[in-house]
Amino acid sequence: MPGAATAALSHRCPNLPGMTAEPVIDTQPDPTATPPTVRASLSPSRAADFKTCPLLYRFRSIDRLPERPTVEQVRGTLVHAVLERLFDLPAAARTPESAGDLVAPQWDRLVTEQPELATLFPEGDAAAVDGFLRSAAGLLEGYFAVEDPRRLEPAEREALISAVVDDELLIRGYLDRLDVAPDGALRVVDYKTGGAPREAFEARALFQLKFYALVLWRTRGVVPRVLRLLYLKDAEVCDYSPDADELLRFERTVVALWQAIEQATARQDFRPRPSRLCDWCSHRALCPSFGGTPPPFPVAGPADPLTDARSRPAAPGADE
């Protein structure tokens, strides 16, 4: 991440202050309600897709092309599920051993809900599955190296938040965790199961954090004090502290981004933008940059402009 943005992210493993589950305000907006003026929605993952590569945005949001999940992506989903369930336990029981005990049951639940996940491994290859579960447990060790969940009572977990900007655009996304201090200060926590950010992923991570901060500011009137990334693989903490002026500029950026998406849709012109992230793209065979040809542009356009599917992670180290 060039320039001032790099300095804004601090990498550290501090002693974490206690956080409570006290709400910021008594009544929170309903994230599932859509005001009548809204005609489109945007999530941080889809917005980041367009910033990264307009053609990738088209493949995912307009063509709705299927993507086979990778082992890295599914491992991230599993670890997120375990960490969410960990806070269902009494504080004293939130130990590394308890987290490890949650891995296999959560994997069984995911496979039951999404049977296609079982095809990630050769049928009957118990050793491959066991190795996968051990690798997930290893990431949980990284979590306990940077945070003590016995000292925390999250206000929200896996929470859908949303806000309307520019009267017509609904921006929304899922928070891994929201902590609230006794004085009402907010801390957004996002778990990353890849390594600490390299340049190719750092910008996407920071964009996602600001996206969440903007939604919270617009709906709750509070600028989050800390936006925290927990990189479990490397056991690193990255903190970022935004301010209102910065979020106002970011809001204009999001609106301009959506306007660019609308223009590209009207022109049916989504061009590829090759980068190192192409190594993780599921659609290289259809990309002109790699000798491919995109499918015909859908005649009816997106099925529902208010439907913006969530996908996490987008690539190793850049999961949502």
Side-chain angles (χ1 to χ4, degrees):
M1 198 179 343
T6 300
L9 272 176
S10 61
H11 296 247
R12 54 198 178 96
C13 300
N15 293 321
L16 305 180
M19 289 291 205
T20 72
E22 292 299 318
V24 180
I25 55 178
D26 292 335
T27 304
Q28 302 294 351
D30 180 359
T32 63
T34 303
T37 59
V38 170
R39 60 187 182 86
S41 73
L42 193 63
S43 70
S45 56
R46 295 292 80 84
D49 284 345
F50 189 82
K51 281 171 58 68
T52 300
C53 174
L55 185 58
L56 176 62
Y57 174 90
R58 181 200 146 171
F59 286 155
R60 285 179 167 168
S61 297
I62 296 179
D63 296 297
R64 305 290 175 99
L65 298 181
E67 296 185 8
R68 178 179 172 81
T70 67
V71 172
E72 290 80 9
Q73 291 171 342
V74 177
R75 184 186 296 113
T77 300
L78 174 58
V79 170
H80 277 78
V82 170
L83 290 174
E84 182 185 5
R85 296 300 186 275
L86 182 66
F87 284 99
D88 289 336
L89 301 177
R94 298 171 195 160
T95 63
E97 293 75 19
S98 295
D101 290 341
L102 289 170
V103 173
Q106 287 305 306
W107 172 243
D108 291 341
R109 179 183 66 82
L110 289 173
V111 171
T112 299
E113 295 174 355
Q114 305 173 59
E116 66 275 11
L117 296 182
T119 64
L120 285 171
F121 308 102
E123 186 174 358
D125 191 346
V129 176
D130 289 344
F132 169 76
L133 297 181
R134 285 196 301 271
S135 68
L139 289 173
L140 292 169
E141 292 177 5
Y143 168 73
F144 282 92
V146 296
E147 191 170 75
D148 183 354
R150 295 173 299 179
R151 299 177 57 197
L152 300 166
E153 290 299 337
E156 299 177 38
R157 289 172 282 147
E158 287 293 318
L160 174 62
I161 59 172
S162 66
V164 176
V165 296
D166 201 38
D167 295 327
E168 296 181 332
L169 178 62
L170 182 72
I171 58 173
R172 57 188 175 187
Y174 284 85
L175 298 176
D176 286 345
R177 201 179 84 212
L178 181 65
D179 299 334
V180 181
D183 64 357
L186 302 182
R187 179 172 65 197
V188 177
V189 179
D190 199 67
Y191 308 123
K192 298 297 184 185
T193 52
R198 301 180 297 278
E199 183 180 354
F201 300 113
E202 226 174 19
R204 186 177 181 116
L206 184 57
F207 181 88
Q208 178 186 350
L209 289 172
K210 290 184 180 180
F211 201 101
Y212 294 149
L214 174 60
V215 173
L216 291 168
W217 180 45
R218 284 305 187 199
T219 55
R220 309 187 186 195
V222 178
V223 174
R225 182 177 296 172
V226 177
L227 305 175
R228 173 162 291 176
L229 289 156
L230 298 184
Y231 284 93
L232 309 187
K233 182 179 179 181
D234 296 328
E236 286 195 21
V237 176
C238 299
D239 282 348
Y240 184 81
S241 296
D243 58 40
D245 288 341
E246 180 181 13
L247 293 184
L248 187 60
R249 293 191 298 271
F250 184 74
E251 183 177 56
R252 290 195 290 265
T253 297
V254 170
V255 171
L257 184 64
W258 177 249
Q259 291 171 344
I261 292 172
E262 286 196 314
Q263 291 174 4
T265 303
R267 298 170 182 168
Q268 300 185 9
D269 184 12
F270 290 85
R271 302 184 183 185
R273 185 176 298 150
S275 72
R276 284 179 290 173
L277 295 176
C278 295
D279 293 341
W280 288 278
C281 184
S282 300
H283 311 296
R284 284 170 59 116
L286 298 173
C287 180
S289 295
F290 298 93
T293 302
F297 200 88
V299 175
D304 180 0
L306 291 179
T307 300
D308 187 357
R310 179 194 187 198
S311 61
R312 178 173 42 121
D319 50 307
E320 178 175 315

